Amino acid sequence: MGSNEQQPTRIAIVGGGIGGLFCALAIHHHCSAAGVHVQVDVFEQASQYKEIGAGVGIGINAARLFHQMDLGDKLNGIAGHRTGVWITFRRFDTSEDIVTVPVNDSDKIRQAPCARTELLDLLKAAVEVRGAATLHTKKQCRSVEVRQDYSTSAEADIVIGCDGIHSAIRNQFVVDKPVFSGQIAYRGVIPISALSSWPFPSYSVAWLAKHRHLLVFPISRNEQLNIVAFVTKPENEIADVKESWTSICDRQEVFDDFAGFDKTAQEVLGLMPEQPSKWRLNDRQPLHRWHYMNGKVILLGDSAHAMLPHLGAGAGQSMEDGWLLGRALSERLSGSTNPHFASLESTAQLYQTVRLPRAQKTQATSRAAGNTYELQTEDMLDKSFEECIPMIAERTRERMKWVWEEDLDAAYVKARDGQGLASKVEGHGGAAGGGVVAGKGMETVTQPRNDSRTPKPSTRLTGYASSRRSRQPPSTRRRGELADRFEGTLSYRHVDVQNAEQVDSVIAEIAAEHSRLDGLIAAAGIQYVKPALEYPPDRIQHVSSSARQMIKYKSPGAMVLVGSMSGLNANKGFTSSVYNSSKAAVIQLGRNLAMEWGKVIDTGGGKRAIRVNVLCPGNIITPMVLKNFEDDPGLRKIWEENNVSSTNSY
Ligand SMILES: Cc1cc2nc3c(=O)[nH]c(=O)nc-3n(C[C@H](O)[C@H](O)[C@H](O)COP(=O)(O)OP(=O)(O)OC[C@H]3O[C@@H](n4cnc5c(N)ncnc54)[C@H](O)[C@@H]3O)c2cc1C
């Protein structure tokens, strides 16, 4: 990782949306201040840096960052200003006030609801004027790979995945599992001058009804009105609706869904474009890790924490990411001796430590806010509209306080200078390769530098145990004992090995976390004392999943398949032909895999093996065997009488 004039650190930002461009500016801001020279390239898949014509609310927390980068006046210049009110919540049928939330709007640093197009233009112009990054278009990143050869056209040391909600970079490391939130949204923008009268010129209005709410806020110097109309729908009614800015519908659908709303709301809807956009609102499980490949690949914005839009805070959160990632990278690259900057991985971890909990709290609060505005929280479900009204007032007044008032830099400094965080970073680094961003029309390689601070390979063991039966991990004490004994750490994941998708996802996550996978013990098996025809098919998904990860991360690892002596002998009195045959199959599987994977890992310096062995224990009294004894009272006697040593081994 170099920072001298000859070899500036090369940073590839994938995705030139709000998060990507803001991140480029923040890196430039912090690195310039620290005297660090970096080369930043932004790769955008679209043919131009362009946004759809909708609005985006920029809260005070994000506006503050614009001002810190001397872009605050420009932001205020494109925003729709507020005059003491943030939002007013109204009854859907009469427009009567439910609660009106004030905001301090007299300060220079203030709310900035704006048009996405204008915001993106502002960011792009600032990147260009400041020379913060080289902007590329029509460059679609498909994946990041570990590579040994660098004969490609472009290279980078760090890749920042700002490629949005459907991030290809994130999807390489974790399985994206969107879950329908229960709601869809129609969107459109109309000129305020087209309305016969508009009583709320400078603030947001939300009309609330059961299962529906209509949100509008002024943008573009209060000349335009941004409209987002939310409806709760059963999933089977919206099978064809996509999670996409570009999917559209007929305006009549909006009219039908918002029938019964007050005349002011109806007039707004009547001016919607003939084909407004229609968006399926998916929710996502929080992501536990935002950096991969020893910190060379880092996620930011929606790729790390896509959230429902009900707080209007997603873009602001991506800016907070960019601000702190830029700050952390500048400290790392300027040679700070703080242990958090000892490696790229620990630097990325510091960024994650500060940002992840706050972003995930925003995700969770957005979800809760949506349910409140739709009157769909659990305690509202059996209540009438009238009964819900006071509950809404109480829950919305202070909702945004913690989002807006956070002192981001103070939180960062506290984490950076606090005790104990550095030791949380696992010492698994040192994978020999670099990474490559391969794309349509472009390739960007991440390449290791001759850097004494690059983490060294570690001999510590990180173990993962899993169980289908129990979601509860073994006790902390027990895990601690095992971890101490093997001088490593032991984590626990709940997984059903019969669920192929789950197995794939968990193993890919574990491998991605450490950029390697060294071993697998396949001991998940149960004994079926059943006739052959009733026997369920066995699966070896965990074995092939692990092999794929070992090949991917070039880790010549080892696998132990737990077979049984029952795979070699017929146990007298034990009518388990299928179990025994399956164990024989495990033994044969081990032989075949050992042959097949003998030279499967291309380390660059020759082919290496994934070693596969099968362990065939004799009779051990396990809970499963005790159950067999219980089910068949004569069995124990037969076993013991016929055992050569007349005993079982415990
Ligand atoms: C209905 C709705 C309303 C919202 N309203 C608000 C609001 O009022 N306030 C707010 O703060 N947030 C709002 N959000 C959230 C906000 O839009 C996002 O959080 C924000 O845009 C995230 O920025 P990003 O840069 O991470 O992703 P994006 O803005 O999605 O940008 C991603 C960029 O990456 C590019 N890209 C994607 N894949 C690739 C690839 N493989 N290679 C290269 N380029 C790629 C895309 O073309 C795009 O330019 C809303 C979201 C929704 C769905």
Side-chain angles (χ1 to χ4, degrees):
M1 191 65 47
S3 59
N4 55 39
E5 285 300 312
Q6 284 74 37
Q7 284 197 308
T9 297
R10 296 149 306 168
I11 301 175
I13 295 179
V14 177
I18 295 171
L21 292 182
F22 191 91
C23 178
L25 284 166
I27 290 172
H28 179 260
H29 173 85
H30 290 297
C31 286
S32 302
V36 173
H37 186 30
V38 286
Q39 177 192 318
V40 180
D41 287 272
V42 181
F43 297 103
E44 166 57 41
Q45 66 180 2
S47 56
Q48 49 181 310
Y49 285 79
K50 176 164 101 43
E51 270 282 359
I52 56 122
V56 61
I58 303 297
I60 288 177
N61 55 317
R64 203 175 289 127
L65 304 178
F66 275 84
H67 285 270
Q68 281 176 257
M69 290 200 296
D70 214 12
L71 289 169
D73 288 341
K74 286 204 159 55
L75 180 67
N76 288 342
I78 62 165
H81 69 274
R82 304 275 165 92
T83 47
V85 172
W86 166 52
I87 188 167
T88 179
F89 292 94
R90 303 279 165 145
R91 288 179 64 104
F92 74 100
D93 48 357
T94 61
S95 283
E96 203 181 314
D97 185 76
I98 297 172
V99 59
T100 293
V101 187
V103 71
N104 175 2
D105 214 20
S106 55
D107 291 345
K108 215 170 137 128
I109 301 175
R110 56 179 184 248
Q111 305 274 348
C114 43
R116 296 178 76 98
T117 40
E118 294 177 23
L119 179 63
L120 208 74
D121 286 348
L122 185 163
L123 293 171
K124 180 172 171 271
V127 168
E128 285 170 341
V129 168
R130 296 176 183 197
T134 306
L135 302 178
H136 307 263
T137 51
K138 287 204 262 182
K139 304 290 180 220
Q140 185 186 53
C141 170
R142 288 184 186 147
S143 65
V144 184
E145 291 169 16
V146 175
R147 271 211 178 171
Q148 294 295 333
D149 69 280
Y150 306 112
S151 56
T152 42
S153 56
E155 293 180 354
D157 302 295
I158 301 164
V159 174
I160 305 176
C162 306
D163 48 346
I165 202 162
H166 300 124
S167 169
I169 298 204
R170 176 201 57 213
N171 290 353
Q172 191 180 340
F173 299 100
V174 279
V175 179
D176 180 33
K177 289 187 191 135
V179 180
F180 178 51
S181 67
Q183 293 151 15
I184 57 148
Y186 303 103
R187 306 200 85 184
V189 177
I190 61 167
I192 291 182
S193 59
L195 290 156
S196 58
S197 68
W198 184 241
F200 321 101
S202 64
Y203 47 86
S204 308
V205 189
W207 284 272
L208 309 185
K210 276 238 162 193
H211 308 124
R212 295 161 295 165
H213 75 282
L214 172 63
L215 169 72
V216 301
F217 57 86
I219 56 174
S220 304
R221 300 155 297 281
N222 291 357
E223 289 162 10
Q224 306 280 325
L225 200 59
N226 182 61
I227 306 168
V228 197
F230 298 92
V231 189
T232 298
K233 298 239 180 208
E235 193 163 15
N236 59 6
E237 274 184 30
I238 55 121
D240 58 332
V241 184
K242 297 196 190 98
E243 187 185 41
S244 153
W245 291 112
T246 49
S247 70
I248 49 175
C249 69
D250 193 291
R251 190 170 52 178
Q252 187 58 42
E253 279 188 44
V254 192
F255 297 161
D256 293 345
D257 277 335
F258 286 84
F261 271 53
D262 177 53
K263 63 178 182 344
T264 317
Q266 293 294 349
E267 191 184 359
V268 168
L269 294 174
L271 290 168
M272 287 271 269
E274 277 181 22
Q275 294 197 308
S277 82
K278 185 177 181 183
W279 178 280
R280 175 194 181 98
L281 294 174
N282 283 335
D283 206 355
R284 280 171 170 80
Q285 288 301 312
L287 206 60
H288 300 297
R289 195 170 180 88
W290 292 2
H291 59 88
Y292 305 92
M293 293 184 168
N294 304 327
K296 291 192 192 95
V297 178
I298 302 167
L299 301 182
L300 179 152
D302 276 8
S303 71
H305 46 70
M307 61 186 71
L308 295 171
H310 302 293
L311 284 194
Q317 289 301 301
S318 74
M319 292 168 191
E320 290 192 8
D321 291 348
W323 178 256
L324 286 193
L325 181 57
R327 184 163 178 186
L329 287 175
S330 75
E331 293 205 60
R332 154 84 179 149
L333 298 174
S334 63
S336 165
T337 53
N338 182 305
H340 285 288
F341 306 111
S343 69
L344 197 48
E345 185 169 25
S346 58
T347 306
Q349 178 63 30
L350 174 63
Y351 152 72
Q352 177 186 303
T353 300
V354 186
R355 287 292 308 128
L356 183 142
R358 183 165 152 80
Q360 291 189 349
K361 185 174 173 187
T362 318
Q363 272 181 312
T365 317
S366 292
R367 189 176 308 134
N371 289 335
T372 303
Y373 301 155
E374 294 276 293
L375 281 57
Q376 291 296 304
T377 60
E378 248 173 56
D379 55 351
M380 288 178 174
L381 286 177
D382 58 354
K383 293 199 169 52
S384 68
F385 176 73
E386 303 301 336
E387 287 172 316
C388 293
I389 296 295
M391 298 165 84
I392 294 165
E394 189 194 308
R395 288 172 198 186
T396 45
R397 239 178 240 117
E398 299 282 307
R399 194 186 283 285
M400 297 303 291
K401 211 170 153 57
W402 67 269
V403 180
W404 293 339
E405 292 184 359
E406 171 83 352
D407 185 339
L408 208 55
D409 284 303
Y412 170 85
V413 168
K414 192 169 165 205
R416 182 194 64 188
D417 299 343
Q419 297 298 309
L421 283 167
S423 62
K424 283 189 187 161
V425 180
E426 296 287 352
H428 304 286
V436 57
V437 182
K440 205 195 256 172
M442 69 99 173
E443 282 203 325
T444 309
V445 178
T446 74
Q447 181 178 317
R449 289 286 175 84
N450 190 6
D451 177 6
S452 58
R453 289 185 300 158
T454 301
K456 297 286 178 294
S458 163
T459 52
R460 292 186 74 212
L461 178 80
T462 298
Y464 289 86
S466 70
S467 163
R468 178 173 70 124
R469 285 212 192 101
S470 168
R471 284 181 185 275
Q472 291 303 315
S475 74
T476 317
R477 191 174 63 83
R478 179 74 186 128
R479 277 187 289 157
E481 281 168 10
L482 286 167
D484 282 352
R485 200 166 132 208
F486 294 104
E487 294 187 3
T489 63
L490 181 66
S491 306
Y492 179 86
R493 301 283 173 97
H494 174 259
V495 65
D496 180 353
V497 293
Q498 294 180 93
N499 181 333
E501 196 194 341
Q502 213 181 62
V503 169
D504 238 354
S505 157
V506 165
I507 291 181
E509 255 177 50
I510 293 170
E513 251 172 53
H514 309 291
S515 298
R516 63 195 291 167
L517 184 69
D518 299 321
L520 168 81
I521 300 175
I526 44 172
Q527 194 180 62
Y528 284 91
V529 184
K530 282 212 168 135
L533 291 178
E534 292 171 29
Y535 201 82
D538 206 355
R539 299 185 185 184
I540 59 159
Q541 178 69 22
H542 44 326
V543 174
S544 49
S545 278
S546 299
R548 273 198 296 278
Q549 299 304 323
M550 288 175 184
I551 293 165
K552 179 169 161 187
Y553 292 102
K554 300 187 189 304
S555 306
M559 290 187 193
V560 178
L561 311 184
V562 179
S564 167
M565 55 91 91
S566 301
L568 299 165
N569 306 298
N571 295 337
K572 191 171 173 192
F574 190 54
T575 53
S576 56
S577 58
V578 173
Y579 172 77
N580 290 8
S581 314
S582 76
K583 287 299 182 185
V586 170
I587 294 164
Q588 186 56 21
L589 176 71
R591 287 191 190 108
N592 272 282
L593 294 180
M595 177 273 295
E596 199 175 322
W597 293 338
K599 287 188 175 172
V600 76
I601 310 249
D602 187 354
T603 60
K607 300 262 188 184
R608 300 274 305 274
I610 294 175
R611 283 178 298 116
V612 184
N613 285 289
V614 183
L615 188 70
C616 294
N619 291 337
I620 300 174
I621 302 288
T622 62
M624 187 174 74
V625 172
L626 283 174
K627 173 90 176 39
N628 292 150
F629 290 163
E630 264 172 48
D631 293 346
D632 181 352
L635 188 59
R636 182 171 204 140
K637 192 162 177 285
I638 297 174
W639 272 33
E640 289 180 355
E641 278 176 6
N642 288 278
N643 191 309
V644 181
S645 59
S646 295
T647 186
N648 289 307
S649 42
Y650 291 81

